[in-house]
Amino acid sequence: MIDRTRLAGLLARERGAFRERNPRSAAAYQQARAHLFGGVPMTWMNKTAAGFPLYMDRARGARVTDLDGHEYVDLCLGDTGAMAGHSPRATVDAVAERFAVLGGATVMMPTEDATWVGAELGRRFGVPYWSFSLTATDANRWAIRLARAVTGRPRILVNSYCYHGSVDEVLLVVGPDGEQVSREGNVGAPVDPTVTSRVVEFNDLASLERELSYGDVAAVLMEPALTNIGIVLPEPGYLDEVRELTRRYGTLLVNDETHTFSAGPGGCTRAWGLRPDIVTIGKAIGGGIPSGGYGLSAEVAARVDGMTGLDLVDMGGVGGTLAGNALSVAAMRATLEHVLTDEAFDRMIALAVRFTKGVQEVIDRNALPWSVTRLGARAEYRFTSPAPRDGGESNAAGDPELDDYLHVYLANRGVLLTPFHNMALMCPDTTESDVDRHYEIFAAAVSELVA
């Protein structure tokens, strides 16, 4: 359906326009290469459709302005880290009060804010006992350790092409011949993840039961819907069967809601009536301040409490000096209480519905074999139809050149998508005109492509 020669020409044109539009970002990147590994503060920032990253000058709400003075409708939103919008006023005020007025951002003492946050997360996700981290990666890492402790089992089971941060145990996939292999490009793994973990495709119940039947899986760590390989939704009844199988085989179920929080105020867990043993979350709940946490069911918490030999207060491998610090829990409280409210999610989801409808209209009008999938306030288009049903299919449907064309085309006209894939997220400050702006530019990009 796509003329690859035409696509290559359009992409070259857009990259040229990007370079001409952004001389200050280009210069900043060149200067950084002398001092930063890879030329960026974190190596994933080199994932750019145009050869160098845009440098931020300022951001507020659903808008970002770069060093060259261009303002963007931000549908990336920090790949969920800014789901509350950039610098939401309630969070800014709470952080300023904690840091500048009350002081004591990091002391080895709890604050009452932490209790409020734990109660609110319990209300939203249905698991009552919470502990905090600075990232979802750490929340997942500590949840895994607790699961191994209480079950006495060594292995973790994940879905192929899942994303749970940089946790060692999750970086494996189902290979083309069905074998379980370390994920390509895995950096310096301390041990082959096929030794520590098992992996099955999402929506594959037969493979899940086979792997659980060996009796050595402490926990199934999963997103209720895959997100970082493109949104892959569960088939009807799949998640209920996962819960039944994990219980049958004595395995804990961990729902990672870090990205799937977009489904609603309590993520997929609340929206779909799920019943996990542990919930992990990060990014969005701090309104831009590093934060994360894991919640335990009453049963799991009791099992942990009953293991008197566990070192949970010193060097037992669960915790960090800055985890649960006063500044991050103040940010979490303000964000959950005043920004990412039930009412805000209603508006955000309605905007995502509008976004999805517009993208589907362009796909249909041009008779493209593409699809668009929505998960609450998040939507994503893929270059295949029907939409992928597991991580392997989603990975196979990737088209980096087409991704880059759309990303740089949109950026040159003032709209940002998540750089890793074609994900658009709504925040409380996103407007209908923002969504419509994406529609207009996306439609123009497709029209040029298929002309």
Side-chain angles (χ1 to χ4, degrees):
M1 293 292 295
I2 301 299
D3 182 334
R4 308 305 295 194
T5 300
R6 181 173 182 79
L7 172 59
L10 289 170
L11 178 55
R13 183 196 72 188
E14 292 300 321
R15 284 175 170 164
F18 186 92
R19 288 191 296 271
E20 291 179 6
R21 278 172 50 88
N22 299 293
R24 293 188 64 186
S25 283
Y29 183 57
Q30 288 304 313
Q31 183 180 16
R33 292 175 69 84
H35 306 286
L36 301 177
F37 177 54
V40 286
M42 185 62 215
T43 52
W44 57 255
M45 291 182 181
N46 274 320
K47 177 63 175 174
T48 170
F52 61 89
L54 294 171
Y55 272 64
M56 180 185 71
D57 176 48
R58 57 191 181 274
R60 182 74 65 182
R63 294 287 189 279
V64 173
T65 302
D66 66 20
L67 278 185
D68 290 280
H70 305 124
E71 185 179 85
Y72 301 87
V73 173
D74 189 7
L75 298 176
C76 169
L77 295 170
D79 193 20
T80 306
M83 187 194 292
H86 298 292
S87 301
R89 175 49 55 190
T91 307
V92 169
D93 290 346
V95 168
E97 181 180 22
R98 177 73 269 172
F99 204 29
V101 180
L102 299 175
T106 301
V107 294
M108 299 188 79
M109 300 168 65
T111 61
E112 292 179 313
D113 284 340
T115 303
W116 188 97
V117 174
E120 176 64 5
L121 291 172
R123 180 189 74 83
R124 292 184 181 218
F125 291 95
V127 289
Y129 297 107
W130 286 81
S131 191
F132 301 119
S133 63
L134 291 180
T135 66
T137 292
D138 271 345
N140 284 321
R141 185 178 291 120
W142 300 340
I144 286 172
R145 294 183 76 102
L146 291 174
R148 283 175 167 152
V150 299
T151 64
R153 297 176 174 183
R155 289 187 183 252
I156 304 302
L157 187 143
V158 295
N159 293 125
S160 190
Y161 292 99
C162 65
Y163 183 72
H164 302 288
S166 55
V167 176
D168 294 328
E169 290 88 342
V170 307
L171 295 174
L172 71 168
V173 297
V174 175
D177 297 321
E179 75 279 19
Q180 302 186 23
V181 297
S182 178
R183 192 159 179 172
E184 185 177 1
N186 194 359
V187 179
V191 65
D192 186 339
T194 62
V195 174
T196 62
S197 309
R198 298 183 181 278
V199 60
V200 299
E201 290 285 9
F202 195 77
N203 281 320
D204 185 348
L205 289 169
S207 293
L208 174 63
E209 181 165 17
R210 182 192 67 234
E211 297 300 320
L212 292 179
S213 70
Y214 294 109
D216 59 359
V217 176
V220 170
L221 171 59
M222 67 180 299
E223 293 182 294
L226 296 183
T227 60
N228 217 55
I229 191 66
I231 298 172
V232 179
L233 298 177
E235 295 178 341
Y238 169 69
L239 296 177
D240 289 337
E241 285 299 312
V242 170
R243 175 70 282 191
E244 195 280 327
L245 287 171
T246 52
R247 285 180 172 154
R248 183 189 309 171
Y249 289 99
T251 298
L252 298 182
L253 177 60
V254 184
N255 277 5
D256 183 348
E257 290 274 18
T258 302
H259 285 168
T260 56
F261 188 31
S262 65
C268 293
T269 298
R270 174 169 157 185
W272 298 342
L274 307 180
R275 296 154 292 160
D277 299 296
I278 303 174
V279 172
T280 60
I281 193 166
K283 291 187 180 179
I285 61 173
I289 299 296
S291 56
Y294 61 90
L296 308 177
S297 69
E299 179 184 354
V300 171
R303 291 171 69 180
V304 174
D305 285 341
M307 301 183 70
T308 56
L310 295 183
D311 180 2
L312 292 172
V313 296
D314 192 8
M315 293 296 292
V318 175
T321 307
L322 296 180
N325 71 77
L327 192 68
S328 66
V329 294
M332 285 189 274
R333 176 171 184 169
T335 302
L336 293 169
E337 187 172 10
H338 301 296
V339 187
L340 290 177
T341 62
D342 290 19
E343 294 75 20
F345 270 100
D346 288 341
R347 296 193 300 274
M348 292 156 60
I349 291 171
L351 288 169
V353 170
R354 185 184 185 96
F355 179 96
T356 303
K357 181 179 178 181
V359 169
Q360 189 64 59
E361 179 183 308
V362 173
I363 292 171
D364 292 344
R365 184 167 67 241
N366 292 279
L368 290 167
W370 298 358
S371 57
V372 57
T373 304
R374 183 179 63 84
L375 180 64
R378 179 193 310 270
E380 185 158 6
Y381 37 88
R382 306 303 308 283
F383 309 124
T384 186
S385 183
R389 66 178 296 275
D390 59 41
E393 288 184 6
S394 194
N395 180 64
D399 189 330
E401 190 177 29
L402 194 47
D403 278 343
D404 285 354
Y405 165 65
L406 291 172
H407 287 197
V408 72
Y409 192 105
L410 286 159
N412 283 341
R413 292 156 182 82
V415 175
L416 298 179
L417 293 181
T418 300
F420 298 99
H421 35 94
N422 301 308
M423 189 275 289
L425 180 63
M426 313 299 141
C427 76
D429 293 299
T430 307
T431 66
E432 288 187 353
S433 63
D434 294 338
V435 172
D436 294 345
R437 180 63 177 151
H438 169 271
Y439 168 80
E440 293 165 2
I441 301 170
F442 176 70
V446 170
S447 292
E448 285 206 66
L449 183 64
V450 302

